[in-house]
Amino acid sequence: MATLRVVVLCILPLLIFPYFVFGDSLKGKVLVVTTPLSEPFHSLKSDHTERTGNDKYEGFIMDMLAELATRLECKFSVHLVPDNRYGAYDPDTKSWTGMIAEVLSGAADMAVGDMTITAKREEAVDFTVPFLHVGLTALYKKPMWARRWKAPVYSVEDLFKQNNVNFGVYCCGSSRAFFASSKGLLPTKINEKMEENPEVYTESNLEGVQRVLDGDGDYVYFMESSSAEYHVNNHCQLATVGKPLDSKGYGIALQQGSPYREEVNLALLQLREEGVLELIKSKWWNRNKDVCQNDWTQSLWNFLPSF
C-alpha cells in the first residue's frame, strides 16, 4: 500500500501539470499564433503599414482563425515566424527551425499555416486533425507559352522524359523530405536528378513559381496541390499535370500534451462538416480565376492535348 501511495504521488503531478500550465479551456483566453507568409494562406494587406495587430494580415488562415475564435470564445494574436520557415529538425544542433521551434520554446501557443503533418514533426509537437488535405504536384509552364517539347505531356513521368527539363522543390520542408526518403521509382529518379544540381532548390514556394514563369518550359516545380491550384488560377501560363505523388494534410501544431487540442479538433471538424472551410478556400483561391477563364489562350488550351 505504501508503494502504491508513492507511485500515485509521483504520477499525479504529471497528470495535472498541463492543466496548471495551459488551463482546461480556451474560453476567454488570448493565444499567440505563429505563421509564415504564404499566399493565399497568409499575406500582408496592401496597406499593412497603416494597420496594427491582426488587422495587418489577410488570407485563408486569418478567416479560419476568426471562425475558430467565434466557436471557441477565445482570441488569437498573430505574428510572423521570424525565419519564415515551417519547421525542420537539424540533427547537428539537435534543434528545430521555424514555427515548430516557436511552439517548442513557448514563443507561440500554436503554429497555423500550410504546414504538413509529418511523423518527424509529430515527435516534437501535437497536431490537430487536418484542416486541408493536399498532395505533391508538378507545376509547369504550358507549351504554348514556352518552347515546344518532344512528346505529349499527360503525367509527371512524361515530364521526366523531356529533354533539358530541371525539377525543383522548396529547399527546407516536407516536400523535399518526401523525395529524399521515398522508395518509389519515379520520386527516387527525380530526387537523384535534383541532387545533381542543388541550384534547383528554392528558398520559398513563391521563388519556385517565379522560376517557372520566367523560364522557357525548362523548369518544373513541385509544390503542394492547394498552392499549385491557387497559382494556376492566377497565372494563365501555368498548369499542373497528373495525379499528386502523395497524400497528406495541413494541421495546427500545439505543444505536446496541450488540453486545447480536443477543443480545436472539435471546432475544426465542425467547420469542415458544415462546409465553412471549403467556402473560405473558394473565397481566396478563386478571386482571380475569371482572368484565365476569359483569356483566349486558356480557351484554346482547353481544346488541345498537352504537347
Side-chain angles (χ1 to χ4, degrees), residues 1-305:
M1 184 63 69
T3 302
L4 179 60
R5 288 198 187 97
V6 172
V7 172
V8 171
L9 288 173
C10 290
I11 294 178
L12 188 59
L14 298 178
L15 296 176
I16 66 175
F17 177 72
Y19 292 91
F20 284 108
V21 176
F22 299 110
D24 57 357
S25 173
L26 282 169
K27 186 175 181 179
K29 289 185 170 59
V30 178
L31 273 71
V32 177
V33 174
T34 181
T35 186
L37 289 175
S38 177
E39 287 190 82
F41 291 95
H42 191 67
S43 58
L44 291 165
K45 292 178 179 177
S46 58
D47 59 347
H48 66 91
T49 56
E50 302 171 11
R51 299 173 182 265
T52 59
N54 290 357
D55 195 39
K56 295 186 296 184
Y57 309 114
E58 64 179 2
F60 178 93
I61 296 301
M62 295 305 297
D63 285 2
M64 182 177 71
L65 287 175
E67 291 286 345
L68 288 174
T70 299
R71 291 169 187 259
L72 298 171
E73 298 182 63
C74 66
K75 294 181 180 180
F76 297 105
S77 176
V78 180
H79 73 247
L80 298 178
V81 57
D83 60 5
N84 206 50
R85 298 194 184 274
Y86 299 94
Y89 182 72
D90 186 336
D92 294 329
T93 62
K94 293 183 169 57
S95 62
W96 285 85
T97 62
M99 292 190 289
I100 299 295
E102 291 228 294
V103 171
L104 289 174
S105 69
D109 297 301
M110 58 174 61
V112 189
D114 50 330
M115 179 167 64
T116 306
I117 301 170
T118 66
K120 189 63 180 177
R121 288 171 178 161
E122 189 72 52
E123 293 177 3
V125 298
D126 282 346
F127 279 101
T128 62
V129 295
F131 59 81
L132 194 64
H133 292 277
V134 297
L136 200 59
T137 191
L139 185 73
Y140 70 105
K141 198 169 188 177
K142 296 173 185 175
M144 68 174 61
W145 290 87
R147 62 194 176 95
R148 298 181 67 89
W149 289 339
K150 68 173 185 177
V153 172
Y154 303 108
S155 66
V156 176
E157 289 88 343
D158 293 335
L159 282 174
F160 190 79
K161 296 174 184 176
Q162 301 299 321
N163 289 330
N164 300 320
V165 172
N166 290 314
F167 296 93
V169 72
Y170 172 55
C171 70
C172 315
S174 60
S175 296
R176 183 179 180 185
F178 163 78
F179 284 107
S181 62
S182 176
K183 305 300 182 185
L185 181 60
L186 181 61
T188 298
K189 288 183 177 179
I190 293 173
N191 184 65
E192 291 172 352
K193 186 176 179 65
M194 291 192 295
E195 285 293 292
E196 291 173 359
N197 180 17
E199 292 183 0
V200 299
Y201 298 120
T202 67
E203 291 293 322
S204 69
N205 278 329
L206 284 179
E207 179 189 341
V209 172
Q210 194 59 52
R211 287 178 68 171
V212 175
L213 288 168
D214 292 342
D216 191 27
D218 56 351
Y219 185 78
V220 173
Y221 189 69
F222 285 100
M223 65 191 312
E224 282 148 2
S225 53
S226 57
S227 296
E229 178 188 350
Y230 169 76
H231 289 292
V232 167
N233 287 346
N234 282 269
H235 301 286
C236 306
Q237 311 99 304
L238 301 180
T240 58
V241 63
K243 297 179 181 179
L245 296 179
D246 67 350
S247 178
K248 49 200 172 188
Y250 294 151
I252 295 174
L254 303 98
Q255 292 183 4
Q256 286 189 338
S258 169
Y260 302 154
R261 184 182 183 186
E262 290 307 312
E263 283 186 272
V264 178
N265 274 343
L266 181 59
L268 285 174
L269 289 171
Q270 291 172 344
L271 291 175
R272 193 165 68 192
E273 290 170 3
E274 295 170 13
V276 176
L277 293 179
E278 188 58 36
L279 286 174
I280 296 174
K281 180 175 181 288
S282 179
K283 169 187 172 181
W284 292 101
W285 266 249
N286 297 331
R287 285 192 303 172
N288 299 318
K289 192 172 183 179
D290 291 342
V291 173
C292 289
Q293 288 181 336
N294 296 329
D295 186 79
W296 70 269
T297 56
Q298 179 65 30
S299 299
L300 177 60
W301 176 257
N302 291 336
F303 287 97
L304 293 176

